[in-house]
Amino acid sequence: MPNTEQMIDTHCHLDFPDFDPDRGAVLESCCQHGVFDIIVPAVSADTWRRTREICQDRHTSLGQLRLHLALGLHPLFIDQHQPQHLSELDHLIAQHRPVAIGEIGLDFHRIGKRAVNDPDKQLAFFDKQLMIAKQHALPVIIHNRKAHDPCLSLLAQTGLSGGIIHAFNGSIQQAQRYIDLGFLLGFGGMLTFTRSRKLRELARQLPLDTIVLETDAPDMTVSAHHGERNSPAYLHFVRDTLAEIKQVSPAEVARVTTNNVRRVFALHTTDTPTD
Ligand SMILES: [Zn+2]
């Protein structure tokens, strides 16, 4: 039986072409599996329009599902970002009032011997987007790999009101520093793999009121669908794993994590386009 306690997928790239063949069916499946709100973070200026349109076209046969737009310039696409995209972002926020600025951040992960992709440009774009978020009093959705120290110091300097550290996999000390800055920590499909021992231990130690659920679909799928496209409808696998780790009911995980999101994100009032 599906669990009726409503959940929020705080990170799903529903606008990616991977969902073009069956986006409607995926959304209906979400409703059947307790996911009624999905935050859709954009990744680059050339996709903003598309992401926005998909979030506006949110109707399903069940009619209750809400898609929430976030706008930002993702560090993995740093080569594509131009300075004028920042002023465009500023303008679009005023016009469309997304629920957050994201997906933004730093990716200092090296593949083999390859150097980090333009760390100075990444830092500059991240910093400027944090300033934009602050000016518009919006939370941020952060992607971070191998760059927690520069990320934490920029966040502390900017003095934002908070957001989500997506797919968090740092140390408990780093987690605590993010929490102290008003951030929530996102856990997704990786948690469902028994081999994710360090991540599971981290989830066990963190208070439930600092955690939010996410899928990062179409990427990072859950163990039950290993090798397949991920789906926001699989969020219950993350909920159930977290419930097991924390020795509470799945309904409790859903209730607390949903409240956590609503503390930081104004999901019902800010996603209505003004044009
Ligand atoms: Zn993402």
Side-chain angles (χ1 to χ4, degrees):
M1 272 296 285
N3 191 299
T4 49
E5 196 79 45
Q6 298 196 359
M7 291 181 286
I8 301 172
D9 184 353
T10 60
H11 199 111
C12 173
H13 296 287
L14 200 66
D15 55 329
F16 281 13
D18 308 65
F19 291 111
D20 284 352
D22 62 344
R23 191 171 284 106
V26 167
L27 293 178
E28 285 191 28
S29 176
C30 282
C31 297
Q32 285 153 17
H33 291 92
V35 179
F36 286 92
D37 289 277
I38 303 176
I39 299 176
V40 186
V43 296
S44 62
D46 64 340
T47 60
W48 284 342
R49 187 192 176 89
R50 178 185 164 80
T51 313
R52 188 161 54 78
E53 283 170 357
I54 282 169
C55 287
Q56 283 171 13
D57 181 27
R58 71 192 65 171
H59 306 291
T60 67
S61 61
L62 294 164
Q64 294 170 327
L65 191 122
R66 295 166 293 264
L67 304 180
H68 306 278
L69 175 69
L71 290 174
L73 299 164
H74 193 300
L76 281 180
F77 300 89
I78 195 70
D79 296 342
Q80 297 175 29
H81 306 332
Q82 305 297 326
Q84 69 267 24
H85 295 159
L86 293 164
S87 41
E88 252 179 77
L89 178 64
D90 195 37
H91 178 75
L92 281 175
I93 293 165
Q95 205 182 353
H96 297 289
R97 200 62 192 165
V99 295
I101 302 306
E103 177 171 0
I104 64 172
L106 299 169
D107 196 311
F108 288 3
H109 179 64
R110 289 167 193 268
I111 300 164
K113 286 203 166 84
R114 255 183 49 196
V116 172
N117 195 4
D118 214 338
D120 292 341
K121 188 176 173 188
Q122 286 195 40
L123 282 161
F125 271 81
F126 183 41
D127 187 28
K128 294 208 169 79
Q129 291 182 94
L130 291 177
M131 297 303 292
I132 291 172
K134 186 171 167 80
Q135 279 157 21
H136 290 272
L138 284 172
V140 290
I141 297 169
I142 293 184
H143 169 106
N144 189 294
R145 274 207 297 182
K146 307 277 178 198
H148 287 299
D149 284 339
C151 181
L152 277 157
S153 64
L154 277 177
L155 291 178
Q157 274 169 39
T158 320
L160 281 168
S161 56
I164 293 174
I165 309 300
H166 145 65
F168 182 74
N169 67 350
S171 66
I172 187 80
Q173 292 81 5
Q174 286 163 338
Q176 193 54 54
R177 289 167 70 194
Y178 284 116
I179 293 164
D180 291 345
L181 290 168
F183 279 80
L184 296 162
L185 305 164
F187 284 84
M190 280 305 292
L191 201 65
T192 62
F193 290 87
T194 48
R195 65 166 190 265
S196 301
R197 287 197 191 86
K198 193 177 150 249
L199 196 66
R200 286 173 165 224
E201 177 55 22
L202 188 70
R204 193 186 64 76
Q205 289 182 45
L206 288 170
L208 193 54
D209 68 2
T210 64
I211 293 176
V212 294
L213 305 178
E214 61 174 41
T215 62
D216 203 16
D219 300 323
M220 309 282 284
T221 197
V222 294
S223 62
H225 292 272
H226 185 54
E228 298 169 27
R229 179 189 69 178
N230 195 7
S231 166
Y234 299 161
L235 194 65
H236 61 99
F237 289 107
V238 182
R239 174 200 63 197
D240 293 353
T241 304
L242 195 58
E244 218 179 286
I245 291 169
K246 301 200 80 66
Q247 304 275 299
V248 296
S249 69
E252 177 72 356
V253 170
R255 189 185 63 76
V256 176
T257 55
T258 294
N259 284 344
N260 295 344
V261 182
R262 296 200 186 284
R263 266 203 327 268
V264 178
F265 293 80
L267 292 191
H268 289 300
T269 53
T270 60
D271 62 341
T272 310
T274 52
D275 65 347

